[in-house]
């Protein structure tokens, strides 16, 4: 198909750049998945076999007639198993857990907003999505290493990028609806 007009060329460039949008969405999804690994390591550290056997073997065996669960499942950091952690260990585990869960809470709208915004503004959507990705990395590393206070810089980038991407996605929907 030959490009005969400037309008055709513009459409081709947008379509060509949409690959960047898809890569950005894929990077966000992949980073969200990677955020689960520190949680696994924290579970193994804090809810190890010795801790679980010492604190819950008798009660668990009596109640459900099976072995004590490995790594403290289904406790998410505020349940029965966590009550036996020291305050320091509880805070450490919950900081790791919340860093990941916060991303899980946001991924459901940042990825679709990125894909929608990228239909008309692929480079802007890619830059905003990349900013969100950087914010997520800073947020989670800060939260895991310094607790809730360590998430500040990442939280600012995340908040700004979510507002920007959702606003851009809304604008794209409106422009398409109005056929502009």
């Amino acid at each position: 198909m030959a490009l005969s007009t400037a309008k055709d060329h513009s459409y081709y460039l947008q379509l060509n750049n949409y690959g960047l949008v898809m890569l950005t969405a894929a990077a966000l999804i992949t980073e969200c998945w990677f955020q689960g690994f520190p949680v696994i390591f924290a579970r193994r550290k804090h809810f190890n076999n010795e801790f679980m056997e010492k604190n819950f073997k008798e009660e668990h065996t009596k109640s459900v007639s099976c072995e004590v669960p490995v790594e403290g499942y289904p406790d998410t950091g505020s349940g029965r198993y966590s009550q036996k952690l020291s305050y320091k260990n509880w805070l450490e585990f919950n900081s790791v857990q919340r860093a990941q869960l916060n991303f899980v809470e946001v991924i459901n709208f940042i990825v679709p907003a990125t894909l929608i915004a990228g239909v008309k503004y692929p480079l802007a959507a890619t830059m905003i999505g990349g900013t969100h990705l950087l914010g997520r990395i800073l947020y989670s590393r800060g939260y895991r290493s310094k607790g809730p206070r360590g998430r500040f810089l990442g939280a600012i980038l995340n908040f700004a990028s979510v507002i920007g991407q959702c606003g851009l996605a809304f604008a794209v929907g409106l422009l398409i609806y109005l056929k502009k």
Side-chain angles (χ1 to χ4, degrees):
M1 174 175 134
L3 298 175
S4 57
T5 66
K7 188 174 183 178
D8 290 338
H9 185 67
S10 173
Y11 174 76
Y12 174 77
L13 286 176
Q14 283 181 335
L15 185 61
N16 195 35
N17 287 334
Y18 197 76
L20 294 172
V21 175
M22 292 187 290
L23 287 171
T24 302
L28 287 165
I29 293 165
T30 303
E31 178 60 22
C32 188
W33 178 69
F34 276 123
Q35 291 289 329
F37 288 102
V39 178
I40 292 169
F41 299 134
R43 282 188 171 283
R44 289 180 180 161
K45 176 181 177 183
H46 297 298
F47 298 112
N48 57 45
N49 287 338
E50 180 183 331
F51 174 85
M52 295 302 291
E53 293 281 326
K54 175 185 170 193
N55 291 292
F56 300 103
K57 182 176 182 168
E58 183 181 329
E59 179 183 1
H60 190 80
T61 305
K62 191 186 304 181
S63 298
V64 291
S65 302
C66 67
E67 295 293 315
V68 178
V70 178
E71 298 171 355
Y73 287 102
D75 198 317
T76 58
S78 58
R80 179 171 284 232
Y81 300 147
S82 296
Q83 292 173 4
K84 298 282 185 172
L85 292 172
S86 68
Y87 183 80
K88 179 182 180 278
N89 289 345
W90 174 85
L91 183 61
E92 183 180 309
F93 176 74
N94 274 278
S95 293
V96 171
Q97 178 89 335
R98 282 300 309 148
Q100 191 241 357
L101 288 177
N102 185 267
F103 200 171
V104 170
E105 293 162 1
V106 174
I107 195 83
N108 295 317
F109 52 89
I110 191 66
V111 168
T114 299
L115 294 171
I116 293 167
V119 168
K120 192 144 180 79
Y121 302 108
L123 296 178
T126 297
M127 289 189 305
I128 294 169
T131 300
H132 191 80
L133 182 62
L134 174 63
R136 280 287 144 200
I137 292 167
L138 293 172
Y139 181 95
S140 62
R141 287 189 179 171
Y143 210 151
R144 287 193 309 259
S145 65
K146 298 176 185 163
R149 291 184 186 176
R151 62 191 169 150
F152 184 73
L153 178 59
I156 291 171
L157 291 175
N158 292 336
F159 182 76
S161 61
V162 165
I163 296 298
Q165 202 74 300
C166 289
L168 193 58
F170 183 78
V172 166
L174 187 60
L175 288 172
I176 289 173
Y177 175 72
L178 297 173
K179 295 172 180 65
K180 294 196 179 210

